[in-house]
Amino acid sequence: MNDMRIMERKVDTKEVKIAAKDVQVYYGDNHAIKDVSVEIEDKTVTAFIGPSGCGKSTFLRCINRMNDTIDICRVTGDIMIDGEDIYNPKVDPVQLRAKVGMVFQKPNPFPKSIYDNVAYGPKIHGLAKNKADLDNIVENSLRRGAIWDEVKDRLHAPGTGLSGGQQQRLCIARAIATEPEVLLMDEPCSALDPIATAQVEELIDDLRKSYSVVIVTHSMQQAARVSQKTAFFHLGHLVEYGETTTIFTNPVDPRTESYITGRIG
Amino acid sequence: MTDASMTPATAPKKKSSLLVQDARTRQRNAAETRFRMFGMAAIGVGLLFLVFLFTSILRSGLPAFTQTVVEIEFTMTQEQFDTAESKMLKTGEYQKIFVNALTEQLDASGLDVAFDGKAIERIVGKPGGTIRSFFLENPDRIGTPVSFELAASSRVDGYMNGRITRDTLVDSRFLMAADLDLVDALEDAGIVKGAFNWNFITGTDSGVDNPGGAGLGASVIGSFFMMLVVLFLSLPIGVAASIYLEEFAPKNRWTDLIEVNISNLAAVPSIVFGILGLAVFIQFAGFPQSAPLVGGLVLTLMTLPTIIISTRASLAAVPPSIRDAALGVGASKMQSVFHHVLPLAMPGILTGTIIGLAQALGETAPLLLIGMVGFVAREYPETFLGGLTDANSAMPAQIYTWASRADPGFYEKAWGGIIILLLFLITMNAIAVLLRRRFERRW
């Protein structure tokens, strides 16, 4: 663990963006998330770590209600974004997902051009008034996704023709094109090589300025590198949540310690 | 593991050589070789049957595209015309003029064969009517040389293309052995010859005693209008149903039941759909009998399960990550389906639809039940709407009707009809392949 580079960054704000209280998730009879309560801060990268099947991805998918697409999935408890319950029947999940962007484990660009990939979100949400506006949004998003220089000459080439790391950054650019407030990332680097991973991590660190970023990761080194807050999940429970430095250097719960030292998981 | 099954630890392990195949490997390789042989044999047998099928179809069907004709040019004088028109049996008079012209030309060629009007009737039917109606319609052609091309009777046709020989011919009122001498002489004089039978492609069905005049044209139109109905009903209904079932419907007992029943419908014999169409569309709803509209409706019912099953399969084959991606950027369910999933599933949907249409195009049994039998196709529809509602037949039903007629001349017409039907099917399948390639390349 000596080689870990723990970020000592000053967190800009302590404002709570997402507040979850007593969240339970069931897949049919399987109780996947048990009593999870957590407060996620704005302009912070929060990492969810834990062994496979511990429920961290499931919890992440609750935050933008992607679990709604799974028939047998049932969520109880409250998840508030800016003080509003997102499971309120008045909330339209489509509107919610425009506010809470998501990047998936496997890069999944649409089988369309790079331009269309990024422009799709703004188009369906009516963010651009005209073509020039849209071009602007696309360029800005690609720049923020740290991929503009690589693709600016082939915006109309298919997005699926890019390399894995480029595809993932394209997906991040696509997610931020809709101007979300929260960015959820479900193991965004698990399919990437170390160099692409480093690029994406740098990007995540940069995105923290504007968004509340929640990232699920299997790599503890990655959690340590990019996040300010870390939550450790185990068997559906949120075992420990706190400053990343604290979690990795001085964990309170013995399970956390066992996991980060490699004894369980 | 029990102790008995364990090898004694003391036995020295023999070193094996990679250069020598052990018995197990030999056995495995032999099994693989055997399997390949079976595979190749199966493909060989399949190809053999295909070749056999195509040769037999072409050999029996191609004669339908040629027609033996009697072509003769003669001049009708005004005097002859007036005389003929003043007679009681007008067509008989015209026939005499025709026979005279024939005799003159035979004499001019130096061929001397004795024949009478009856023999001519056996060879070209009764030409008098045709000649009379031509001159009644074109009175200005009287006095000028006019060339007539008259279809020879089916037995003469059979004699010309080898179906009937002098040995097999049995004298009857249809054709006498002596007539064949006349046919030979006429052929030598260049009056009897083979010609491409356009009438077979553009014509309509003829009476049971006139295979020479039979054509598939009206039935092709009937089939075309049916396919229009099938396409415009089954594609939207089928695709909408599959999108709903695959993407929106909750997975519960009801949707399971619907799914099982759709699969069952695909296996229902087509004649059942025919009876259903007869009962529902004709007897209950009062649609006209033998109308391509009703045929199209029945075939739509038959095609729907095929389209639904293939559409659902191609929708299910679209990777879920695409749906996640669309939902993740805030697209609604419908937007994710119509903007992303459907375009990706398009090649599969189109292929399924065209295959379904091709199946419907070849369907016979239900058409017979709703009255679209071959002999109905006696004329072309006059208007577009008439194409849907006027009594007509369809290609396979027409072929069936011809095949069941007694005159052997219809036998080759049936085979010829099969050639045309197969051409349509091959074209449709080729379009399916092309569309599939084209749409796949775009992504």
Side-chain angles (χ1 to χ4, degrees):
Chain A
M1 302 297 281
N2 302 330
D3 59 344
M4 268 170 36
R5 180 166 57 94
I6 293 168
M7 294 272 180
E8 297 283 356
R9 273 178 194 266
K10 193 173 168 294
V11 177
D12 306 310
T13 169
K14 289 288 174 200
E15 196 187 323
V16 173
K17 187 72 182 171
I18 306 162
K21 201 158 182 303
D22 298 332
V23 174
Q24 321 277 346
V25 180
Y26 304 87
Y27 285 121
D29 296 331
N30 181 14
H31 195 174
I33 297 275
K34 299 159 188 156
D35 296 321
V36 169
S37 299
V38 64
E39 291 191 338
I40 293 167
E41 288 160 7
D42 202 7
K43 312 234 185 302
T44 308
V45 177
T46 306
F48 289 177
I49 60 169
S52 290
C54 67
K56 51 194 192 307
S57 285
T58 301
F59 184 66
L60 190 80
R61 290 168 67 93
C62 290
I63 301 177
N64 70 347
R65 291 183 60 175
M66 279 300 271
N67 282 337
D68 288 15
T69 57
I70 302 166
D71 280 334
I72 54 165
C73 183
R74 197 156 53 81
V75 181
T76 64
D78 297 329
I79 298 178
M80 322 279 264
I81 291 182
D82 291 333
E84 293 172 337
D85 183 6
I86 62 168
Y87 280 90
N88 188 314
K90 281 188 204 155
V91 171
D92 183 65
V94 171
Q95 221 174 326
L96 170 73
R97 287 181 203 132
K99 200 169 169 175
V100 184
M102 186 153 190
V103 176
F104 297 85
Q105 180 171 3
K106 224 178 112 225
N108 56 352
F110 299 129
K112 300 186 178 205
S113 73
I114 294 170
Y115 182 94
D116 287 339
N117 259 285
V118 182
Y120 181 69
K123 252 190 226 162
I124 58 171
H125 296 299
L127 297 181
K129 284 174 205 68
N130 50 44
K131 178 86 172 73
D133 233 14
L134 194 61
D135 288 349
N136 257 333
I137 292 176
V138 170
E139 181 177 344
N140 284 335
S141 307
L142 286 171
R143 276 187 197 286
R144 304 210 54 189
I147 194 181
W148 172 253
D149 290 329
E150 291 156 65
V151 300
K152 64 183 173 195
D153 300 324
R154 45 171 174 154
L155 285 178
H156 296 282
T160 39
L162 298 171
S163 75
Q166 289 173 324
Q167 285 191 12
Q168 194 60 300
R169 277 177 289 150
L170 175 64
C171 292
I172 295 174
R174 180 178 67 192
I176 56 190
T178 55
E179 295 172 20
E181 295 167 22
V182 179
L183 203 53
L184 307 177
M185 297 187 160
D186 190 355
E187 299 182 38
C189 299
S190 65
L192 305 186
D193 68 35
I195 295 170
T197 303
Q199 287 167 326
V200 172
E201 282 177 6
E202 212 169 297
L203 174 62
I204 292 169
D205 196 50
D206 192 51
L207 294 173
R208 178 166 72 95
K209 290 178 201 143
S210 341
Y211 308 105
S212 170
V213 180
V214 184
I215 175 170
V216 166
T217 177
H218 267 293
S219 151
M220 284 173 283
Q221 286 85 348
Q222 183 173 55
R225 282 194 299 264
V226 300
S227 70
Q228 287 78 50
K229 292 275 197 156
T230 297
F232 171 63
F233 285 79
H234 190 239
L235 300 177
H237 292 285
L238 175 62
V239 175
E240 196 167 344
Y241 175 57
E243 297 284 333
T244 301
T245 40
T246 322
I247 297 273
F248 279 97
T249 53
N250 191 16
V252 179
D253 197 285
R255 284 171 292 180
T256 317
E257 196 193 346
S258 309
Y259 182 68
I260 62 175
T261 53
R263 279 203 292 277
I264 60 167
Chain B
M1 197 175 277
T2 59
D3 286 336
S5 72
M6 284 168 90
T7 46
T10 49
K13 195 170 185 298
K14 244 177 80 181
K15 278 203 177 141
S16 64
S17 163
L18 281 175
L19 298 176
V20 183
Q21 281 192 350
D22 60 24
R24 265 188 86 79
T25 315
R26 255 200 310 279
Q27 222 171 18
R28 270 195 307 218
N29 288 350
E32 188 172 323
T33 316
R34 254 194 326 269
F35 182 75
R36 283 189 195 187
M37 300 293 261
F38 281 141
M40 284 195 291
I43 289 176
V45 170
L47 284 179
L48 200 72
F49 274 113
L50 193 69
V51 168
F52 180 70
L53 183 78
F54 270 106
T55 41
S56 73
I57 286 178
L58 288 178
R59 216 191 46 197
S60 320
L62 282 179
F65 290 90
T66 58
Q67 165 69 46
T68 306
V69 291
V70 177
E71 191 186 13
I72 184 161
E73 191 180 75
F74 64 92
T75 310
M76 167 85 68
T77 60
Q78 188 68 43
E79 190 187 339
Q80 279 173 318
F81 181 71
D82 292 340
T83 327
E85 280 302 302
S86 64
K87 289 279 169 59
M88 190 68 128
L89 295 167
K90 299 184 178 70
T91 52
E93 206 56 37
Y94 284 102
Q95 192 167 319
K96 273 182 203 155
I97 299 168
F98 177 78
V99 171
N100 287 340
L102 212 58
T103 320
E104 270 174 35
Q105 294 201 7
L106 277 178
D107 288 346
S109 312
L111 295 154
D112 189 22
V113 188
F115 62 94
D116 55 3
K118 286 282 172 215
I120 290 298
E121 273 182 29
R122 288 193 291 267
I123 292 172
V124 287
K126 292 187 174 167
T130 320
I131 298 169
R132 176 172 184 241
S133 51
F134 176 82
F135 283 112
L136 282 180
E137 277 172 34
N138 307 292
D140 52 316
R141 299 293 297 273
I142 296 172
T144 58
V146 177
S147 173
F148 284 94
E149 197 180 279
L150 301 160
S153 76
S154 75
R155 279 180 172 71
V156 174
D157 208 30
Y159 171 66
M160 293 291 286
N161 58 39
R163 182 157 45 82
I164 297 172
T165 63
R166 279 171 189 274
D167 302 329
T168 57
L169 181 72
V170 180
D171 277 1
S172 67
R173 65 187 175 86
F174 297 114
L175 196 64
M176 310 285 237
D179 299 338
L180 295 178
D181 298 332
L182 175 59
V183 173
D184 285 344
L186 287 169
E187 193 187 359
D188 289 342
I191 294 171
V192 164
K193 56 188 173 189
F196 187 78
N197 190 2
W198 283 109
N199 182 57
F200 180 61
I201 293 171
T202 59
T204 59
D205 190 26
S206 58
V208 283
D209 52 356
N210 180 17
L216 201 62
S219 319
V220 171
I221 296 294
S223 280
F224 169 76
F225 277 100
M226 283 203 311
M227 290 304 111
L228 273 192
V229 174
V230 174
L231 182 67
F232 280 96
L233 287 179
S234 66
L235 185 62
I237 297 177
V239 172
S242 350
I243 290 178
Y244 180 76
L245 281 176
E246 193 63 34
E247 304 282 338
F248 293 94
K251 302 273 174 286
N252 57 28
R253 217 177 298 164
W254 285 110
T255 45
D256 282 350
L257 193 74
I258 291 173
E259 220 179 302
V260 168
N261 278 304
I262 288 174
S263 308
N264 281 343
L265 274 184
V268 168
S270 57
I271 196 132
V272 176
F273 285 101
I275 285 266
L276 181 86
L278 178 64
V280 174
F281 296 126
I282 294 178
Q283 287 170 352
F284 177 72
F287 288 151
Q289 241 180 44
S290 312
L293 173 69
V294 178
L297 287 172
V298 171
L299 293 181
T300 300
L301 293 180
M302 281 196 53
T303 315
L304 266 178
T306 317
I307 293 188
I308 292 179
I309 289 170
S310 68
T311 304
R312 289 194 63 181
S314 42
L315 285 175
V318 173
S321 68
I322 294 295
R323 294 181 182 82
D324 280 352
L327 294 178
V329 294
S332 67
K333 185 85 196 166
M334 204 175 122
Q335 283 172 328
S336 88
V337 170
F338 280 88
H339 295 168
H340 301 290
V341 178
L342 204 55
L344 285 176
M346 218 47 182
I349 296 175
L350 287 178
T351 315
T353 306
I354 294 177
I355 303 270
L357 280 184
Q359 249 177 35
L361 185 66
E363 203 54 68
T364 322
L367 302 184
L368 299 180
L369 281 177
I370 57 163
M372 292 184 76
V373 271
F375 56 78
V376 177
R378 295 308 285 265
E379 53 195 23
Y380 279 93
E382 278 167 13
T383 58
F384 186 82
L385 207 66
L388 290 173
T389 53
D390 288 358
N392 203 341
S393 183
M395 279 187 271
Q398 180 75 75
I399 291 168
Y400 173 77
T401 306
W402 283 342
S404 53
R405 281 186 183 159
D407 193 318
F410 278 113
Y411 178 75
E412 66 193 26
K413 296 285 167 189
W415 283 99
I418 288 173
I419 292 180
I420 294 183
L421 184 62
L422 280 180
L423 279 180
F424 274 97
L425 292 177
I426 291 171
T427 315
M428 284 172 80
N429 286 337
I431 291 173
V433 172
L434 279 180
L435 280 178
R436 191 182 191 110
R437 290 246 175 96
R438 164 157 234 152
F439 273 87
E440 271 178 351
R441 213 174 287 155
R442 269 182 57 195
W443 301 103

